[in-house]
Amino acid sequence: MRSLLQIIRTFFFQITAKKHLSSTYRERRFVSYDKAKTVLILFESDYSEKNLNIRKMIYQLQQDGKKVSAWGYIDKKEVITSILPDFRILHHKQTDFFQKPMISYINELDDQTFDLLIDLTLKPLLPLQYVAVYAKAACKIGIHKSELPIYDFVLDVESLTVPIEDTEFFESPVDENYLFEKIIFYLKSIQTTD
């Protein structure tokens, strides 16, 4: 069950995001895999901060000639990973009370543009949802986590849950690798005439 604090933070996020989305013009367009030159990946960091799966995805994209930036989040007070221009893991000290990234990170996003934003988070992580809202990307892709129109291309993974035998619970075969593979598949498959 969500705490009152989380409900307040989510409410504040929705107000802030709605205001930003309604007051900021963004030219939305589908960007195929071949046309994408710059990619921003959002991910939930593993606790050890090794993020081997994410690093493999970054390497795959780089091998295909794409410039990749990756922003992760971990629910810890300190991180051991260095903050690099193209790879960073945000944590508590880099967000405010409402879990919005500090203004320096928002300003950094404002100075960059991307062809694609690929959100690989499987649950709502407010710091990364703020990044998804503020990032300047022609095409934003993720799964349904909010009623806000953050993403241009939304994958429905809720239909993939399966019942766990002899219980009332459900599990999902979806993880960040599955999500990444599906997104890349669709980006390569969809043909546009632009």
Side-chain angles (χ1 to χ4, degrees), residues 5 20 34 40-41 51 56 82 90 103-104 131-132 165 176 189:
L5 179 59
H20 181 78
D34 290 339
L40 173 60
I41 295 177
N51 300 301
K56 286 178 189 171
S82 301
L90 301 176
I103 193 69
S104 61
V131 172
E165 201 172 307
E176 61 194 14
S189 300

Side-chain angles (χ1 to χ4, degrees), residues 51 68 72 139 186 193:
N51 300 301
V68 182
C139 185
Y186 288 122
T193 57

Side-chain angles (χ1 to χ4, degrees), residues 10-11 14 61 94 100 118 126 147 153 157-158 174 190:
T10 301
F11 180 73
Q14 290 176 344
L61 292 168
Q94 294 161 327
K100 181 178 180 182
I118 300 175
L126 287 178
E147 296 306 315
F153 190 88
V157 294
E158 289 180 19
V174 176
I190 296 173

Side-chain angles (χ1 to χ4, degrees), residues 38-53:
T38 55
V39 179
L40 173 60
I41 295 177
L42 304 182
F43 66 97
E44 180 177 10
S45 177
D46 58 38
Y47 201 76
S48 68
E49 300 176 37
K50 290 191 180 357
N51 300 301
L52 297 176
N53 289 335

Side-chain angles (χ1 to χ4, degrees), residues 25-70:
Y25 174 75
R26 178 172 72 88
E27 184 180 335
R28 299 169 181 247
R29 62 184 169 82
F30 179 78
V31 179
S32 69
Y33 188 79
D34 290 339
K35 301 258 191 229
K37 301 293 178 228
T38 55
V39 179
L40 173 60
I41 295 177
L42 304 182
F43 66 97
E44 180 177 10
S45 177
D46 58 38
Y47 201 76
S48 68
E49 300 176 37
K50 290 191 180 357
N51 300 301
L52 297 176
N53 289 335
I54 297 296
R55 292 181 190 277
K56 286 178 189 171
M57 293 171 202
I58 292 168
Y59 180 75
Q60 177 184 334
L61 292 168
Q62 289 172 334
Q63 290 300 109
D64 289 342
K66 293 160 191 352
K67 183 178 184 319
V68 182
S69 293

